[in-house]
Structure formats: structure tokens, C-alpha cells
Amino acid sequence: MTAPTLSLIMPVLDEATTIQTTLASLQPLRARGVEVIVVDGGSQDATEVLAAPLCSRVVEAPRGRARQMNAGAAVAGGEALLFLHADTRLPVEADRLIAAALAGGHRWGRFAIRLEGRHPLLPVIATAMNLRSRLTGIATGDQALFMTREAFETVGGFPDQPLMEDIEMSRRLKRFSSPACLRQKVTSSGRRWEQSGAWATILLMWRLRFRYWRGESPEALAREYRHVR
């Protein structure tokens, strides 16, 4: 069997209602040789059972997005790694776009994002996320981070922290190389903003990021984030 060039790693927790639809959208990538690894963090529903026929393998890991993504990377066979949230959909040519970006000299990158939902502020929020990411070189997990295995291993994988693991990973990768900021868009759920209120969520996330930048522990910030949600 030919080793995969790209391994897609998806951390999940209690995603039984959506996991089949999410994985069904990835079948064209699997047909082109992309390895799809689902990493379950202890789901209490049927996530694992439903995912198994639609992915390359299901892996169990301790709960926590960073830990789950690292566990998936540890068993992945690809020389390039793509980390995808369960509520995010890729463009149909994602594998080829990533291959072109990495072949062009970049060692890591992200996609632009489109937020799906009915709230009128969602397009504005997505535009601001894309602009901020392009200007700062910092990406969020919603934007489908990808990187070479070499880059992943050089920075030591995702930091073992319960929040801001994507921000910290971007910081570490920036020391290694500048990101490929792809203009093609992933589509991610806007439910976080719709359920908690758009302005309230924006202010919360900016406040948490500012405090993280000031040096507050991700554990303390995660406790506040869970409490607010």
C-alpha cells in the first residue's frame, strides 16, 4: 500500500449528530489517497461507531483538542498534516492546494474562513478573522491548520494546554517559517456566535486572547471560557 502524502486529523467529542455528514464530505479526498484519522476524546454517544466506516482509522486519546491532535499525528502516515475541526468543511481541492503551498516553500499554513449561519454579523466576523490572520501570521483551528511533519515535530507538536493551543502553535511555527495564507475558504459553523451572542462572543474571545498575550495561564482562561459558555 502506498503511504499517504497528506494525513487529515480530526479531534472529536460527542459528534454523533454530525460526524457522518462531516466525514461523507471528505470521501473525495480519501479517494485521492488522503488518510483521514478521527481522534475521539471519550465520547459518550455513538461517534466512534458512526465514524469508523467513513475514515481510515479511529484513535482514542485523553480529552483535550491538543492531546487528541497530537495523538492523531503520532499514528499518521503522511508527510503533511492537516488538522480539521468536526464542524468545518474543506474546499474540494484542499489536498492539492496544500500540496502546492508546501511545494512552494512554505512549511505550514491555513485557509481563509467562511462562517455558516443566519446572523448578519457572521460575514463581518469571518472577514475580520481572515484579515487579522494575514496581518499577524497567527491562525486559529477553525481555519484548518496544515503543516509538514518536519515542522510539526520541530516545534514539538501542539502544546498540552486546554485553550489557545492553536494560537501558541502558530507562534511556534512562525519562528520556523511564515505561513501560507490561502485565500480559498473553509466553511465553519457560526453556532458559537449565534448561541452566545455575536458581540458577547467577540468581546469574550478578544479579552481571553489579550490576557493570554499578557501571560495568564491557559488553564485559568479555559475555566472562564467554560463557565461563560
Side-chain angles (χ1 to χ4, degrees):
M1 182 180 294
T2 303
T5 302
L6 174 66
S7 294
L8 184 156
I9 298 159
M10 180 184 297
V12 299
L13 181 67
D14 295 330
E15 296 284 355
T17 58
T18 59
I19 191 66
Q20 288 177 301
T21 300
T22 299
L23 292 177
S25 71
L26 300 177
Q27 297 312 298
L29 295 180
R30 288 188 70 201
R32 293 199 293 269
V34 175
E35 180 182 38
V36 176
I37 300 172
V38 172
V39 188
D40 188 79
S43 292
Q44 299 301 304
D45 60 14
T47 296
E48 286 193 58
V49 174
L50 296 172
L54 296 170
C55 66
S56 306
R57 64 189 298 181
V58 176
V59 177
E60 294 181 355
R63 181 178 302 189
R65 188 171 277 159
R67 293 176 179 178
Q68 290 171 240
M69 291 188 292
N70 287 339
V75 301
E79 287 304 309
L81 306 173
L82 166 62
F83 299 92
L84 185 70
H85 289 185
D87 61 355
T88 301
R89 298 195 307 276
L90 293 166
V92 294
E93 299 294 313
D95 53 337
R96 292 164 181 163
L97 294 168
I98 290 170
L102 297 180
H106 291 283
R107 295 295 177 263
W108 72 288
R110 57 77 175 160
F111 289 85
I113 191 170
R114 170 185 173 270
L115 293 174
E116 189 172 55
R118 293 178 294 180
H119 197 289
L121 277 179
L122 291 178
V124 178
I125 294 168
T127 298
M129 290 173 66
N130 294 329
L131 179 60
R132 180 194 68 217
S133 179
R134 184 169 290 276
L135 291 175
T136 64
I138 299 294
T140 65
D142 295 323
Q143 293 173 293
L145 283 164
F146 61 86
M147 62 203 70
T148 64
R149 178 177 292 281
E150 179 190 11
F152 178 86
E153 293 176 351
T154 296
V155 301
F158 284 90
D160 187 7
Q161 58 190 60
L163 195 67
M164 305 290 177
E165 77 287 339
D166 47 0
I167 303 299
E168 185 61 32
M169 185 65 159
S170 296
R171 285 180 177 176
R172 296 179 182 185
L173 288 166
K174 276 181 65 178
R175 303 186 194 115
F176 189 53
S177 76
S178 60
C181 297
L182 303 186
R183 295 186 180 277
Q184 293 85 356
K185 295 178 180 179
V186 297
T187 300
S188 190
S189 171
R191 61 186 176 185
R192 176 172 51 176
W193 290 270
E194 292 185 325
Q195 291 173 357
S196 302
W199 284 113
T201 302
I202 292 169
L203 293 174
L204 171 65
M205 296 311 299
W206 274 106
R207 186 169 70 249
L208 293 176
R209 287 193 183 105
F210 175 73
R211 289 166 57 188
Y212 183 69
W213 176 75
R214 290 287 302 272
E216 290 195 42
S217 76
E219 290 76 18
L221 299 178
R223 285 193 295 271
E224 179 174 337
Y225 182 61
R226 287 194 293 266
H227 173 72
V228 171
R229 293 192 70 184

